[in-house]
Amino acid sequence: MIPVRVKNKFSDHPQKIMRPVSIRLSEEMIALLETTSKELGFKRIQGLIRLYIRQGLDRDHQDYTLAHDEVFIESLRKRGVSQHIIDEAIVVTHNNNISRPLSELQNED
């Protein structure tokens, strides 16, 4: 396997290097994340957790935006999330005005 740092030197679309992080969550929170992730079309809770973290970062840091996280967006595309939903989520989170839940955006597609 070629290391990401080496691939990035020769790629038109460099990947961001990601590191694993460990957190402790209650069984109730994990169960709720599993239910919510299935309802929103995520195969695993990891993608949903990343989305929630990104929304929080967008809200707390004006210079950070979900649109800058190409790895996360590409991961959503690979999991079948439509570009329309991704674009709507970026606009909603960037404006710090979450007026409709992601599940409503997904049902529009």
Side-chain angles (χ1 to χ4, degrees), residues 21 24 26 33 38-39 41 43 49 55 61 64 67 77 80 85-86 97 108-109:
V21 176
R24 294 183 186 275
S26 69
L33 283 166
K38 288 177 186 171
E39 289 172 358
K43 292 182 180 177
I49 292 170
Q55 287 175 339
H61 298 280
Y64 183 88
R77 282 190 196 111
I85 294 170
I86 293 170
N97 181 14
E108 284 182 4
D109 216 27

Side-chain angles (χ1 to χ4, degrees), residues 51-108:
L51 176 63
Y52 288 155
I53 291 170
R54 298 288 176 230
Q55 287 175 339
L57 288 170
D58 283 352
R59 187 174 51 247
D60 295 341
H61 298 280
Q62 296 292 331
D63 59 337
Y64 183 88
T65 175
L66 182 64
H68 293 152
D69 194 337
E70 298 90 10
V71 173
F72 179 68
I73 292 170
E74 187 58 32
S75 176
L76 291 175
R77 282 190 196 111
K78 287 180 181 176
R79 286 175 171 77
V81 177
S82 75
Q83 188 61 46
H84 171 74
I85 294 170
I86 293 170
D87 293 341
E88 286 284 332
I90 289 170
V91 169
V92 168
T93 56
H94 184 68
N95 290 335
N96 292 329
N97 181 14
I98 302 173
S99 59
R100 297 178 346 199
L102 186 58
S103 58
E104 286 182 18
L105 295 174
Q106 192 164 13
N107 291 335
E108 284 182 4

Side-chain angles (χ1 to χ4, degrees), residues 33-46:
L33 283 166
E34 288 172 342
T35 301
T36 305
S37 66
K38 288 177 186 171
E39 289 172 358
L40 296 177
F42 291 93
K43 292 182 180 177
R44 299 179 0 197
I45 65 171
Q46 184 177 6

